mmCIF file of all heavy atoms in Angstrom:
data_model
loop_
_atom_site.group_PDB
_atom_site.id
_atom_site.type_symbol
_atom_site.label_atom_id
_atom_site.label_comp_id
_atom_site.label_asym_id
_atom_site.label_seq_id
_atom_site.Cartn_x
_atom_site.Cartn_y
_atom_site.Cartn_z
ATOM 1 N N ARG A 281 -22.741 3.564 2.505
ATOM 2 C CA ARG A 281 -24.056 3.764 1.811
ATOM 3 C C ARG A 281 -24.629 2.463 1.236
ATOM 4 O O ARG A 281 -25.816 2.318 1.068
ATOM 5 C CB ARG A 281 -23.888 4.764 0.673
ATOM 6 C CG ARG A 281 -23.967 6.176 1.077
ATOM 7 C CD ARG A 281 -23.962 7.047 -0.146
ATOM 8 N NE ARG A 281 -24.078 8.447 0.256
ATOM 9 C CZ ARG A 281 -23.944 9.423 -0.623
ATOM 10 N NH1 ARG A 281 -23.682 9.216 -1.874
ATOM 11 N NH2 ARG A 281 -24.023 10.660 -0.229
ATOM 12 N N GLU A 343 -25.322 6.045 -8.844
ATOM 13 C CA GLU A 343 -25.986 6.950 -7.929
ATOM 14 C C GLU A 343 -26.524 8.088 -8.708
ATOM 15 O O GLU A 343 -25.895 8.495 -9.748
ATOM 16 C CB GLU A 343 -25.072 7.514 -6.872
ATOM 17 C CG GLU A 343 -24.548 6.515 -5.865
ATOM 18 C CD GLU A 343 -23.765 7.138 -4.766
ATOM 19 O OE1 GLU A 343 -23.623 8.396 -4.743
ATOM 20 O OE2 GLU A 343 -23.293 6.409 -3.940
ATOM 21 N N ASN A 344 -27.604 8.679 -8.335
ATOM 22 C CA ASN A 344 -27.990 9.929 -8.954
ATOM 23 C C ASN A 344 -27.426 11.080 -8.177
ATOM 24 O O ASN A 344 -26.694 10.866 -7.212
ATOM 25 C CB ASN A 344 -29.545 10.024 -9.098
ATOM 26 C CG ASN A 344 -30.272 10.084 -7.772
ATOM 27 O OD1 ASN A 344 -29.639 10.400 -6.717
ATOM 28 N ND2 ASN A 344 -31.505 9.677 -7.731
ATOM 29 N N ARG A 345 -27.626 12.302 -8.539
ATOM 30 C CA ARG A 345 -27.073 13.483 -7.873
ATOM 31 C C ARG A 345 -27.467 13.604 -6.408
ATOM 32 O O ARG A 345 -26.849 14.285 -5.650
ATOM 33 C CB ARG A 345 -27.384 14.704 -8.671
ATOM 34 C CG ARG A 345 -26.697 14.795 -10.058
ATOM 35 C CD ARG A 345 -26.792 16.128 -10.654
ATOM 36 N NE ARG A 345 -26.256 16.062 -11.994
ATOM 37 C CZ ARG A 345 -25.024 16.179 -12.334
ATOM 38 N NH1 ARG A 345 -24.103 16.235 -11.430
ATOM 39 N NH2 ARG A 345 -24.669 16.143 -13.580
ATOM 40 N N ASP A 346 -28.603 12.993 -6.077
ATOM 41 C CA ASP A 346 -29.049 13.015 -4.622
ATOM 42 C C ASP A 346 -28.452 11.883 -3.814
ATOM 43 O O ASP A 346 -28.753 11.754 -2.657
ATOM 44 C CB ASP A 346 -30.564 12.896 -4.574
ATOM 45 C CG ASP A 346 -31.290 14.032 -5.289
ATOM 46 O OD1 ASP A 346 -30.705 15.169 -5.182
ATOM 47 O OD2 ASP A 346 -32.310 13.805 -5.893
ATOM 48 N N GLY A 347 -27.571 11.105 -4.407
ATOM 49 C CA GLY A 347 -26.954 10.001 -3.691
ATOM 50 C C GLY A 347 -27.747 8.760 -3.600
ATOM 51 O O GLY A 347 -27.405 7.824 -2.895
ATOM 52 N N GLU A 348 -28.864 8.718 -4.299
ATOM 53 C CA GLU A 348 -29.722 7.498 -4.304
ATOM 54 C C GLU A 348 -29.020 6.391 -5.113
ATOM 55 O O GLU A 348 -28.594 6.604 -6.239
ATOM 56 C CB GLU A 348 -31.076 7.837 -4.937
ATOM 57 C CG GLU A 348 -32.058 6.634 -5.003
ATOM 58 C CD GLU A 348 -33.356 7.076 -5.647
ATOM 59 O OE1 GLU A 348 -34.039 7.923 -5.071
ATOM 60 O OE2 GLU A 348 -33.641 6.512 -6.721
ATOM 61 N N ILE A 349 -28.937 5.228 -4.562
ATOM 62 C CA ILE A 349 -28.252 4.122 -5.216
ATOM 63 C C ILE A 349 -29.202 3.489 -6.258
ATOM 64 O O ILE A 349 -30.321 3.169 -5.992
ATOM 65 C CB ILE A 349 -27.846 3.054 -4.215
ATOM 66 C CG1 ILE A 349 -26.902 3.647 -3.193
ATOM 67 C CG2 ILE A 349 -27.246 1.810 -4.889
ATOM 68 C CD1 ILE A 349 -26.604 2.718 -2.012
#
Side-chain angles (χ1 to χ4, degrees):
R281 276 188 178 170
E343 293 185 2
N344 64 22
R345 293 192 188 277
D346 298 325
E348 179 181 297
I349 300 170

